[in-house]
Amino acid sequence: MATDEKLHEHFVKLYGMEPEVRITCPGRVNLIGEHIDYHDYGVFPMAIDASTVILAAKNSTNNIIFSNFDPKYSSWESEVPCGWKGSSNPKWNDYLLCGWKGILENQKEEQFGISFLLFGTIPPSSGLSSSSSLVCASALATLSLIVNGDPFETISRENFAHLCAKSEPLIGTLSGGMDQAAEVLASEGTALRIDFSPLRSKNIELPEDAVFVVVHSNTELNKGATSHYNERVIEGRIVAQILKQKFAISTSSFRLKDIQTLSRKSFEEILKIVEELPEEVNKEQVIELIGKDKLEECLTENTRKFTDFKLRSRARHVFSEAHRVELFEKACEEKNIQEMGHLMNESHRSCAIDYECSCKELDDICHLYLQNGALGARLTGAGWGGCAVVLMAADDVAKVEKLPSLFVSKPAQGIRVHRY
């Protein structure tokens, strides 16, 4: 573990100058509400102690230099102006460039020489939002070198989180905004109920006898380097176009929350209607359902190659998961950890069966913990590998001490800046 002192010494030795700022950005674990943020439904994450740290300073070389404290990652350097426009197969430095570019464009600033030193304790591709943590940390480091004092007097935390989320398509991810909001808006000691459009959050106290264990499945998936994540986004957009026709709704949005709101249907009502949707369709069948122009509206440059889609089960997951978030918040308020566990189990089942974003290793980990006294267990993050989050009653934690785990987590503080 690299202490702040070690990182400071390493920066000075590496660059021959003092760092100006240190940024700390946590990862996050999503307790419930998976794959629904990009449909504007509320989610229920909490920040974790594992974090991304960036030490940064302006330099006089007129170069952008990114170095990693972990020697297995090679340094990256570019002269200014840097012509980087994004990456469809992102490496660690691309996530930093994503945050850097977003801030420069937002602040209408010319490029300047900067030196970054990165250190991270969030396991990569684990479902704990290491990628968004890199983007947010880089964005705040860049902003902190542009402005004096508190950077959040220049831009609100809500707008900063929104900016970071809007930058992530540069690395090929159609992000919904949960990860950035959780990492930027978090308060130590509480989970967050985050809602979107407009972005807002409220602190939710978790029951004192609830303990969350984060467990790695020992499989990884880089959602920026695969198509699974974006496929689900596009399938949801197609469902939205079908439902807009069915309800005779006129809106440019294809976020399913907007469609539900405009239809004035309850969760129970819209879930019944979803069962009338076709399950598997190809591109030609989608065109027959909604028209070629509406399909084109759904697609992006890197998703035009998709030819086959699943609709009914994807929609069932989104609407039922959004409903579970509402019920989970109520269970927290009532200190009903049995119901919280039940909802987490239902969430994992929906992710595994309807959204097909689990894997055998995640399913096995969840089953193992449930067999050993856990109240609930579900994948967290995009899925297809990474981590599960497990709910235990505090008195039962000893039952799983010999089982594999990454850490027991309490809600941590959001992104922050320290000036030297």
Side-chain angles (χ1 to χ4, degrees):
M1 177 68 184
T3 63
D4 290 339
E5 292 77 13
K6 283 184 180 179
L7 290 173
H8 184 274
E9 289 174 9
H10 192 81
F11 187 97
V12 173
K13 182 179 180 181
L14 189 64
Y15 294 121
M17 62 180 177
E18 292 286 326
E20 296 178 45
V21 297
R22 182 183 72 239
I23 308 299
T24 304
C25 184
R28 65 96 192 96
V29 59
N30 192 26
L31 302 181
I32 199 163
E34 220 62 73
H35 285 283
I36 61 174
D37 57 333
Y38 46 81
H39 286 294
D40 265 0
Y41 281 113
V43 292
F44 211 102
M46 70 181 192
I48 57 177
D49 289 328
S51 62
T52 296
V53 176
I54 291 179
L55 274 61
K58 292 182 178 179
N59 67 46
S60 57
T61 67
N62 213 33
N63 284 356
I64 301 166
I65 311 170
F66 295 157
S67 297
N68 200 310
F69 189 80
D70 187 336
K72 77 178 180 183
Y73 296 102
S74 300
S75 295
W76 180 91
E77 186 170 346
S78 171
E79 291 184 351
V80 169
C82 172
W84 186 85
K85 295 181 180 179
S87 173
S88 60
N89 187 21
K91 297 178 174 58
W92 73 274
N93 54 280
D94 292 307
Y95 294 98
L96 301 187
L97 287 165
C98 180
W100 163 83
K101 186 176 177 66
I103 285 295
L104 289 181
E105 291 181 352
N106 176 263
Q107 296 292 303
K108 298 180 172 58
E109 287 281 335
E110 295 294 324
Q111 295 182 22
F112 55 90
I114 53 174
S115 299
F116 280 10
L117 173 62
L118 171 70
F119 174 72
T121 58
I122 309 169
S125 303
S126 61
L128 302 177
S129 195
S130 59
S131 56
S132 292
S133 183
L134 288 169
V135 173
C136 292
S138 175
L140 188 57
T142 305
L143 180 61
S144 298
L145 295 177
I146 294 172
V147 304
N148 296 316
D150 182 0
F152 292 118
E153 291 181 358
T154 300
I155 182 173
S156 70
R157 283 183 174 265
E158 288 79 7
N159 287 340
F160 177 81
H162 183 70
L163 168 65
C164 292
K166 289 300 180 184
S167 299
E168 282 210 15
L170 289 169
I171 45 172
T173 303
L174 301 175
S175 173
M178 171 186 67
D179 298 344
Q180 300 82 2
E183 293 165 349
V184 173
L185 304 177
S187 296
E188 189 171 5
T190 61
L192 289 173
R193 165 64 190 268
I194 298 175
D195 290 283
F196 304 94
S197 299
L199 179 62
R200 58 207 183 278
S201 66
K202 62 179 176 179
N203 297 332
I204 305 291
E205 286 193 15
L206 299 169
E208 289 185 6
D209 56 343
V211 174
F212 292 96
V213 180
V214 180
V215 191
H216 204 292
S217 67
N218 293 318
T219 55
E220 297 181 355
L221 179 121
N222 180 346
K223 72 181 181 184
T226 62
S227 64
H228 300 315
Y229 183 92
N230 290 341
E231 284 172 3
R232 300 300 183 271
V233 177
I234 300 306
E235 287 166 336
R237 291 180 176 183
I238 293 169
V239 168
Q241 297 284 28
I242 294 172
L243 293 179
K244 280 195 284 186
Q245 287 185 357
K246 181 176 182 62
F247 298 138
I249 291 171
S250 178
T251 176
S252 60
S253 173
F254 27 57
R255 296 180 184 268
L256 290 177
K257 184 181 179 183
D258 292 337
I259 310 308
Q260 183 189 5
T261 300
L262 291 169
S263 73
R264 298 183 179 181
K265 302 294 184 184
S266 67
F267 281 117
E268 291 81 3
E269 289 170 331
I270 205 155
L271 280 165
K272 287 182 181 178
I273 292 167
V274 159
E275 293 305 316
E276 301 170 8
L277 293 172
E279 176 59 7
E280 298 186 16
V281 291
N282 58 36
K283 201 168 190 175
E284 290 71 28
Q285 291 169 317
V286 172
I287 291 171
E288 288 178 12
L289 287 167
I290 63 174
K292 188 174 183 178
D293 57 331
K294 296 299 182 184
L295 175 59
E296 283 297 309
E297 289 177 13
C298 295
L299 299 173
T300 59
E301 195 58 42
N302 64 345
T303 60
R304 296 191 189 284
K305 63 182 182 294
F306 297 166
T307 58
D308 296 285
F309 310 93
K310 289 189 176 182
L311 304 182
R312 185 194 314 132
S313 56
R314 307 304 192 229
R316 185 193 299 128
H317 168 77
V318 172
F319 291 121
S320 64
E321 184 77 348
H323 193 203
R324 280 187 287 272
V325 170
E326 305 280 346
L327 297 174
F328 193 84
E329 180 179 350
K330 182 182 178 184
C332 284
E333 291 170 350
E334 295 173 350
K335 312 298 182 188
N336 186 347
I337 64 172
Q338 297 288 338
E339 177 64 7
M340 291 165 62
H342 169 71
L343 292 165
M344 289 174 68
N345 292 332
E346 286 296 305
S347 172
H348 184 78
R349 180 182 179 278
S350 180
C351 286
I353 296 174
D354 283 341
Y355 227 62
E356 295 181 284
C357 61
S358 186
C359 62
K360 182 180 184 300
E361 292 84 353
L362 277 169
D363 294 343
D364 289 347
I365 281 290
C366 290
H367 181 66
L368 176 64
Y369 269 80
L370 291 171
Q371 280 188 317
N372 283 272
L375 298 173
R378 59 179 297 279
L379 66 84
T380 186
W384 298 288
C387 288
V389 58
V390 178
L391 172 61
M392 302 289 304
D395 291 342
D396 291 336
V397 172
K399 295 180 181 178
V400 298
E401 284 180 350
K402 294 183 180 180
L403 298 184
S405 69
L406 267 181
F407 49 80
V408 175
S409 187
K410 291 185 178 180
Q413 183 182 349
I415 195 170
R416 51 208 181 269
V417 57
H418 168 78
R419 292 189 181 274
Y420 289 97

